[in-house]
Amino acid sequence: MTALRELLLQAGARLQAAGVRDEALAEVYTPRGLPLVKRAPALRPIGRAWRLGVVLLSADGRLFTAAESTRAVEPKWFNHRSSEVEHRRIAQQAAHRGPFAEGDVVNFEVVELALDEASLREGSGPLRLVDDTVMLRWAGHDLGLTPLDAYLDDRVALLIGE
């Protein structure tokens, strides 16, 4: 899968050379506190990546699933919140408290995709090896399968304005 790794590194190099802004990757954790005192969840940085639709690409050629994201800004308080709005507010608060730059996009609950041949043959998240071509599922059905190289080229071109 050397060709795959090279494809990912080249896409990252194009994005970096064009100065495309990347986003933070983070993991959710609960800080240790005093016994019987519940602590709010926090976000710990684990890297940076560019959002390319359904995947996130790091400069070192790793791919992650695009999961939840928020901005590191002071959350607003709203009345009559749904549980979904409250969940987003808590995530935004965690990003704002964390070591992220003000306004930075923070992706959390991301999963690194396995890029070895065996994992790709079984299906690694949205990636699948079909007849020796790495395919990406960008929609919830088989009609949404597209070759990864074409998908990356299209997404990178879109981000750098080609």
Side-chain angles (χ1 to χ4, degrees), residues 91-105:
Q92 194 173 45
Q93 189 173 44
H96 186 256
R97 280 192 323 262
F100 303 101
E102 182 75 18
D104 201 4
V105 175

Side-chain angles (χ1 to χ4, degrees), residues 74-87:
E74 180 86 38
K76 306 273 189 264
W77 289 92
F78 297 102
N79 291 330
H80 310 293
R81 299 185 288 264
S82 69
S83 62
E84 178 66 24
V85 171
E86 181 64 12
H87 174 76

Side-chain angles (χ1 to χ4, degrees), residues 12 15-16 19-25 47-51 56-59 71 103-107 159:
L15 291 165
Q16 208 163 28
V20 175
R21 187 176 172 154
D22 59 4
E23 302 176 356
L25 300 176
R48 303 210 47 97
W50 293 278
R51 178 177 291 275
L56 298 158
L57 172 65
S58 68
R71 282 200 178 270
D104 201 4
V105 175
V106 180
N107 297 280
L159 286 174

